[in-house]
Amino acid sequence: MNIEKLFCSIDTHVGGEAFRIVIQSSIALIGNNVQSNQKDLANNFENEKKLLLNEPRGHRGMNGCIIAPSKAADFQLLFFNHECANDFKYEALFAATTALIETGNLKRTANDSYNVETMNGIYTIHANVENQEVISIYLEGISCSVIASSQDSIEVSLDASRKYLIYPLPNTISGIELDQLAAISNWGIAKTSELIQENIDFNGVILVEEFSDKVRSVTFEKDGYILRSPGIDSTCAIHTSINLTESKYEIENESIFGSSLTTKLQCENESIFSIKAVPFVTGSHEFIFDTEDPLKEGFILV
């Protein structure tokens, strides 16, 4: 056994979306700061990343994160994901902070506020902890803006770096419900393919059904994959689009699988939101990269 190829992770989900938080690995980053570390991770270590993300150890919905030391924050958080997934997700901040606190890998602060350094900057995470269990995580300052709107869709930008296209439910789908999953999936694959063929840049497509007291939505990544979570980006984007016509302080967004997230508007004149979520640690795992394994990099079921 080559223990130099041993990987240890803490798996966590946020609203149903899975994160593999790698706390020990053979991935040796040579960068001096978070930007160079993220670039090094993005351009190298393909075997290791596939081992951790692909079947049978992972799946298409698995998101990877690596914990590294930081001089500017409590820890550095680096991202690696499947090809068509976003390279930054707020949920990862929630998942990593929860995993580190609950396993004793992060020293508790007096007020349970933690600074996380990422390629997009440093974020302050507020944790509600009871008896070493994270009850909830809170984050504020998520910035959104409408780029364009038409009869068909609304374009919303998150943090001026990620773009989502929001569509109302078409007449061909009776509702965002599990018994409509095949029709919803077909719509998402067709829409994402259409946008790619038209060379339209986007990070996700959101299909929304509005009710009087909440919304229900499905988010598709670039390859038509359906996110399991309502999505922090998606919920903030939907809230921004709704506030084009009516100002709402709070929006609850429910996924097709029953999980939900709620955004709160922090500033009436600008679309800046706060959000609270409850992450769950689902397990800890050890993986060994075996060069003689015929499926050493795993595979993806489609």
Side-chain angles (χ1 to χ4, degrees), residues 9-39:
S9 74
I10 306 167
D11 286 2
T12 308
H13 79 80
V14 180
E17 191 165 10
F19 293 85
R20 177 150 290 160
I21 313 297
V22 180
I23 58 172
Q24 179 186 333
S25 76
S26 62
I27 295 175
L29 301 168
I30 58 174
N32 295 320
N33 56 57
V34 67
Q35 300 295 342
S36 56
N37 276 341
Q38 186 64 64
K39 184 178 180 181

Side-chain angles (χ1 to χ4, degrees), residues 138-159:
Y138 173 79
L139 174 68
E140 56 186 15
I142 303 172
S143 174
C144 307
S145 61
V146 172
I147 301 173
S149 63
S150 67
Q151 289 185 334
D152 295 330
S153 66
I154 298 175
E155 296 180 26
V156 176
S157 172
L158 270 285
D159 302 328

Side-chain angles (χ1 to χ4, degrees), residues 188-252:
I189 292 171
K191 179 58 69 177
T192 52
S193 297
E194 173 189 322
L195 295 170
I196 289 172
Q197 288 175 1
E198 294 175 358
N199 293 318
I200 295 175
D201 181 41
F202 66 97
N203 293 89
V205 167
I206 306 171
L207 186 63
V208 181
E209 182 179 16
E210 290 192 38
F211 301 90
S212 60
D213 60 341
K214 66 178 181 181
V215 299
R216 192 172 293 155
S217 73
V218 170
T219 299
F220 303 91
E221 295 191 308
K222 291 179 182 177
D223 57 354
Y225 175 79
I226 296 178
L227 290 183
R228 301 183 184 199
S229 164
I232 292 178
D233 272 15
S234 299
T235 307
C236 293
I238 293 167
H239 197 159
T240 301
S241 69
I242 288 175
N243 280 7
L244 273 178
T245 54
E246 54 178 324
S247 181
K248 288 197 173 186
Y249 168 69
E250 184 174 301
I251 291 289
E252 180 185 3

Side-chain angles (χ1 to χ4, degrees), residues 1 4 21 43 87 112 127 145 159 185 187 214 217 228 230 271 275:
M1 178 184 297
E4 293 184 358
I21 313 297
N43 294 332
D87 58 7
D112 273 322
S145 61
D159 302 328
S185 179
W187 182 93
K214 66 178 181 181
S217 73
R228 301 183 184 199
S271 293
I275 195 161

Side-chain angles (χ1 to χ4, degrees), residues 12-14 19 21 75 77 89-101 116 124-126 134 136-140 142 232 261 274-280:
T12 308
H13 79 80
V14 180
F19 293 85
I21 313 297
F75 62 93
L77 186 63
K89 295 188 178 184
Y90 278 116
E91 290 89 340
L93 308 180
F94 290 40
T97 304
T98 298
L100 294 178
I101 289 175
V116 185
T124 300
I125 297 292
H126 306 278
V134 176
S136 63
I137 294 282
Y138 173 79
L139 174 68
E140 56 186 15
I142 303 172
I232 292 178
L261 291 170
S274 65
I275 195 161
K276 181 187 291 185
V278 183
F280 295 93

